[in-house]
Amino acid sequence: MVKHAVEANFDGLVGPTHNYAGLSWGNVASKSNVNAVSNPRKAALQGLAKMKRLADRGYVQGILPPHERPHIPSLRALGFSGTDAQILERAAKSSSSILAAVSSASSMWTANAATVSPSADTTDHRVHFTPANLSAKFHRSIEHAVTGRTLKSIFADDGYFAHHPALPSVGHFGDEGAANHTRLCGRYGEPGVELFVYGQAAFNEQAPAPQKYPARQTLEASQAIVRLHGLKDGNRVFAQQNPAAIDAGVFHNDVIAVGNGNTLFYHDMAFLNEEQVLSDIRARLTGAELEAVRVSSAEVPLEDAVASYLFNSQLLNTPDGMLLAVPGECREVASVSKYLDKLLAAGGPITAVEVFDVKQSMRNGGGPACLRLRVVLNDDELQAMHRGVILTDKLYERLTSWVAAHYRDQLAREDLADPMLLDEVRKALDELTGILGLGSIYDFQI
């Protein structure tokens, strides 16, 4: 029986240590803004404003909290000892790069938090969660433990939800979560097609692979998640990302393609075998015909797509079609702005475009789609989850006041060694878990 379901968006709340350390090789925006002074307070408020606009439109909007940073347990594991203040001082003197890595606010990009399969697709009819190991980058590889605790706290009822540990943290099973995964369907409550996009086959040295930048997602990781989530052949498609796109700075598939419902919006450089990918989706998609909205390189050169993050936009259902929620940079790049006007005039499935200001996130290489994890929930599952993380007017007001009270308006790389910053972060997060009703999820609380 098909149940009514919605696609909830769980956005990452930007953390108090949001900074520009340029940690992500292969992410052009991240490297180009290295060592600039950030504004954590403004970044968090921009993210909350985006969430509020979508919640006001009637979308189910959830919140995932930031992680504790700097992460002292990681520094201790790397041999730094003493009090917390001494550890920060010694790490800053010994390796400022390591300190920057364990201070990153990268958990804000919750598209990388996990891969989620709805109950309509899984053999046991539960919603399945696998936190991403993010093994390609040290600063992100330390996230999955707290991500897992957070998801288990929110989705605690094992009658409805199943949780898996992250895959082994080695390159052969590099997993970047929903940034390389999307779901296409007729209606959210119907069985859908889960599209797993990978950068290379790790166990096949002869297979195509990028030459300049690393492929972060492997075929083997995607296959493992399919097994863990109990997906059948009719519910999944594997597609290889175009290696040339990765080498051009498309480090995740969600920088070059986005899907929702029966619509796939993508650049012609997105997939290595484009026609085969479309054919495989069409063969498995039931209840609707695939709407493939293809953007050619002649209309939007790949470098413009990367600079604007056109495809790192949210594609959302509305009563009159689909809304494309784009970053402000899309109206600043001429070819992209021209294309969006053409798209709206074409009469296709995308009928509206709205601009969102997430510039603080964009400077680190994350647009609107990076900031959210999509979770399809039927009505029973929506009621079974912890509701304290669903954004309401009251919660929005409380969180904006919380940000104003705890976040700095300037943060430079050298500030990461300040022991007062660590104290500020812990105080803020301890208060936040109380506001959201999540219990003890952080190392310093356990």
Side-chain angles (χ1 to χ4, degrees):
M1 182 180 68
V2 175
K3 297 183 177 182
H4 175 263
V6 298
E7 184 178 78
N9 289 286
F10 288 81
D11 279 41
L13 186 55
V14 180
T17 61
H18 166 65
N19 71 95
Y20 301 125
L23 299 172
S24 192
W25 173 247
N27 181 329
V28 176
S30 172
K31 299 302 289 187
S32 63
N33 289 293
V34 62
N35 293 331
V37 175
S38 66
N39 187 329
R41 184 185 302 164
K42 187 174 183 179
L45 293 176
Q46 283 178 350
L48 281 166
K50 166 185 171 291
M51 298 183 222
K52 182 66 162 56
R53 277 178 63 183
L54 294 178
D56 286 347
R57 293 187 65 125
Y59 298 106
V60 178
Q61 179 66 63
I63 298 164
L64 294 180
H67 290 196
E68 175 196 358
R69 296 293 183 267
H71 194 235
I72 297 298
S74 290
L75 291 176
R76 290 189 185 277
L78 294 173
F80 296 100
S81 60
T83 65
D84 290 348
Q86 288 172 332
I87 286 173
L88 291 173
E89 181 183 7
R90 290 165 182 170
K93 289 181 179 179
S94 173
S95 178
S96 62
S97 295
I98 291 177
L99 178 58
V102 303
S103 303
S104 173
S106 54
S107 65
M108 62 196 269
W109 296 302
T110 55
N112 299 117
T115 303
V116 185
S117 293
S119 56
D121 297 350
T122 62
T123 52
D124 66 0
H125 304 296
R126 293 189 294 170
V127 183
H128 283 247
F129 299 84
T130 298
N133 61 30
L134 299 168
S135 62
K137 304 294 175 186
F138 168 64
H139 69 286
R140 303 223 62 180
S141 71
I142 63 176
E143 294 177 13
H144 62 82
V146 171
T147 296
R149 289 178 211 153
T150 303
L151 292 173
K152 286 178 181 178
S153 178
I154 297 171
F155 304 99
D157 190 331
D158 61 11
Y160 292 100
F161 310 113
H163 295 271
H164 307 279
L167 299 178
S169 290
V170 294
H172 286 80
F173 294 99
D175 175 27
E176 298 285 310
N180 286 312
H181 169 266
T182 194
R183 181 176 186 261
L184 300 160
C185 60
R187 291 183 294 170
Y188 290 133
E190 297 176 339
V193 179
E194 300 193 26
L195 176 63
F196 292 85
V197 183
Y198 63 94
Q200 70 177 58
F203 285 94
N204 182 357
E205 295 181 358
Q206 306 305 314
Q211 301 302 306
K212 181 179 179 181
Y213 294 132
R216 302 187 188 184
Q217 182 83 26
T218 67
L219 170 62
E220 292 81 357
S222 297
Q223 291 171 331
I225 291 170
V226 164
R227 291 190 291 268
L228 289 168
H229 291 196
L231 302 180
K232 298 179 180 178
D233 179 71
N235 293 116
R236 90 295 182 275
V237 168
F238 299 112
Q240 182 165 3
Q241 190 175 347
N242 191 327
I246 295 175
D247 284 337
V250 183
F251 53 100
H252 290 140
N253 180 64
D254 68 0
V255 179
I256 200 167
V258 59
N260 174 54
N262 66 327
T263 299
L264 181 64
F265 179 54
Y266 70 100
H267 193 272
D268 65 9
M269 289 286 288
F271 306 111
L272 184 61
N273 298 302
E274 177 186 348
E275 290 304 318
Q276 186 63 55
V277 172
L278 297 180
S279 176
D280 289 346
I281 294 171
R282 289 189 174 106
R284 291 165 174 79
L285 186 61
T286 59
E289 293 292 325
L290 176 66
E291 292 271 10
V293 182
R294 181 180 191 266
V295 183
S296 71
S297 297
E299 294 171 301
V300 178
L302 186 56
E303 57 268 27
D304 288 357
V306 173
S308 66
Y309 269 37
L310 168 63
F311 297 95
N312 198 244
S313 302
Q314 290 182 248
L315 194 54
L316 303 158
N317 286 348
T318 75
D320 303 314
M322 289 193 189
L323 165 69
L324 190 66
V326 304
E329 286 75 2
C330 283
R331 285 301 187 183
E332 297 171 6
V333 178
S335 67
V336 174
S337 185
K338 180 180 179 181
Y339 173 79
L340 288 174
D341 293 337
K342 177 183 175 182
L343 177 70
L344 293 178
I350 300 173
T351 56
V353 171
E354 283 194 23
V355 173
F356 288 75
D357 180 10
V358 289
K359 190 172 290 292
Q360 286 285 318
S361 174
M362 283 287 290
R363 287 175 180 169
N364 247 341
C370 279
L371 288 163
R372 63 92 176 92
L373 177 69
R374 296 182 287 183
V375 183
V376 171
L377 300 165
N378 65 39
D379 294 341
D380 293 335
E381 294 156 355
L382 193 58
Q383 290 304 311
M385 66 163 283
H386 172 59
R387 304 283 297 179
V389 296
I390 299 298
L391 192 67
T392 61
D393 290 345
K394 182 178 180 180
L395 181 57
Y396 175 76
E397 291 176 6
R398 194 168 183 189
L399 289 175
T400 54
S401 296
W402 173 82
V403 169
H406 293 289
Y407 280 52
R408 299 184 181 189
D409 60 6
Q410 286 190 25
L411 195 69
R413 183 163 174 161
E414 54 268 24
D415 295 328
L416 301 176
D418 180 3
M420 291 296 294
L421 177 63
L422 177 62
D423 290 341
E424 292 167 16
V425 169
R426 287 176 172 172
K427 182 180 178 181
L429 295 184
D430 203 39
E431 184 178 323
L432 180 63
T433 52
I435 293 172
L436 299 178
L438 291 175
S440 298
I441 59 173
Y442 299 113
D443 293 299
F444 75 90
Q445 294 176 318
I446 297 172

